[in-house]
Amino acid sequence: MKRPFWIGYDRAVQIRARIEDLLDTPYSDRVTSCAVIAPSYNGKTSILRNVQRRHNVLPPDYQQSPSRPEIKIPVFFMQAPPVPDEDRLLDAVLRLLCIQGSPREPTEHKISRIQAVFVGLGVKLLAIDEFGFYQAGSHDRQKKALNGLKYLGNYLQIPMVIAAVEEGLNVLSANEEIANRFPAEHLPRWKANDQNTLSLLASFESKLGLRKPSNLGTEGMAKLIIANTGGILGHMHDLVRELAKKALRSGAEQIVEADLKPEGLKQIRWVIPSLRHQRPV
């Protein structure tokens, strides 16, 4: 239960398949990319990381081989810098590659070095998480950073995937050419009356290791879980995990509706996410 796990719910698998299709894109002067858009903590990073794990695999004989087979990294994952700045983005890539240069290094030289290493590593996809940081700064700064992103894509000739909150889509939409290159794939909030939500919660339950059934995939339990998490995937996972820990400690070995009522939530110190930053009365 403490280990992170992947649940391949329908929308996540669809978006993953869309991203993996990009991996087969041949080098081109104008490559189609995509943007994964969702509320904060709703599964964007998990999808990108899952794609990374599926494709960045060491050869099976890597540890035993005296010659150490050549390593390929088809998916290069990184986090966007905290402000929209082309050079800071490039510097972040160079740091991850362990080849950061002089602070005065020209932008074109940085991009040239990145391309050379990417070719050697067989990088086919650049995945940039936390693109919502591009909301920071003035409109002119955002515009310059977006143009830098477009130029980087043109130079590398590989597709990109960016993950951002909904507000990040506004940044993309401000530049029609950029928006056309990054069609959006959305991860909406979960709803209690949706069969996909019931299936997801049933999958959660199968990972908990409790001896007795909790029936998380029923409408009654789903309504309570959604009401206490705002329908955000990460919060749903955290709430269910905390309740499962309580069930194990108490010996109850199951989660029941009373655990999701105010008194039960107090016992695990759970506060509804939307209320966490309000001052106590």
Side-chain angles (χ1 to χ4, degrees), residues 23-265:
L23 281 163
D24 297 325
T25 303
Y27 289 102
S28 169
D29 291 332
R30 187 181 177 89
V31 179
T32 299
S33 299
C34 81
V36 181
I37 306 297
S40 178
Y41 210 35
N42 204 38
K44 304 179 296 294
T45 302
S46 294
I47 294 174
L48 297 188
R49 286 293 193 187
N50 185 258
V51 173
Q52 181 189 37
R53 287 193 298 270
R54 281 163 59 91
H55 293 274
N56 294 1
V57 181
L58 288 174
D61 59 344
Y62 177 76
Q63 295 292 345
Q64 290 75 30
S65 174
S67 62
R68 287 296 171 94
E70 187 178 20
I71 297 177
K72 295 296 182 183
I73 305 177
V75 179
F76 188 88
F77 177 93
M78 65 172 295
Q79 181 173 296
V83 293
D85 185 282
E86 179 185 10
D87 279 306
R88 291 187 68 165
L89 177 68
L90 299 176
D91 288 341
V93 175
L94 292 168
R95 276 195 302 274
L96 290 171
L97 294 172
C98 300
I99 56 170
Q100 189 172 13
S102 166
R104 297 182 179 181
E105 182 179 12
T107 299
E108 292 76 11
H109 190 213
K110 293 178 182 179
I111 295 177
S112 179
R113 289 202 296 128
I114 290 170
Q115 184 195 39
V117 177
F118 272 21
V119 169
L121 292 174
V123 176
K124 296 182 178 180
L125 177 76
L126 175 59
I128 304 176
D129 198 14
E130 300 292 357
F131 183 79
F133 286 150
Y134 270 55
Q135 299 168 71
S138 65
H139 175 73
D140 287 343
R141 192 167 190 175
Q142 291 176 0
K143 183 178 180 181
K144 183 178 179 181
L146 287 174
N147 286 333
L149 188 69
K150 180 179 71 174
Y151 180 68
L152 178 63
N154 290 343
Y155 200 100
L156 297 178
Q157 297 184 320
I158 60 173
M160 300 182 191
V161 177
I162 58 176
V165 294
E166 288 103 328
E167 291 80 4
L169 189 58
N170 296 333
V171 178
L172 288 175
S173 300
N175 185 313
E176 184 176 357
E177 187 176 358
I178 293 289
N180 289 337
R181 292 194 183 194
F182 289 90
E185 297 285 349
H186 292 271
L187 280 171
R189 292 173 183 259
W190 295 81
K191 299 178 181 178
N193 59 351
D194 191 318
Q195 184 59 46
N196 290 321
T197 303
L198 304 185
S199 298
L200 174 76
L201 292 173
S203 297
F204 274 0
E205 182 173 346
S206 71
K207 303 287 186 180
L208 298 178
L210 299 176
R211 295 178 182 177
K212 298 179 182 179
S214 298
N215 300 316
L216 298 184
T218 59
E219 289 190 11
M221 295 293 276
K223 287 180 181 178
L224 289 169
I225 292 171
I226 295 299
N228 287 298
T229 61
I232 297 297
L233 180 62
H235 295 313
M236 293 163 64
H237 169 269
D238 291 347
L239 174 58
V240 170
R241 182 185 60 188
E242 291 303 313
L243 290 174
K245 288 162 63 176
K246 174 192 167 188
L248 287 170
R249 287 194 301 265
S250 68
E253 292 289 344
Q254 68 178 161
I255 300 169
V256 296
E257 285 196 8
D259 294 324
L260 288 157
K261 300 293 178 65
E263 286 303 315
L265 295 173

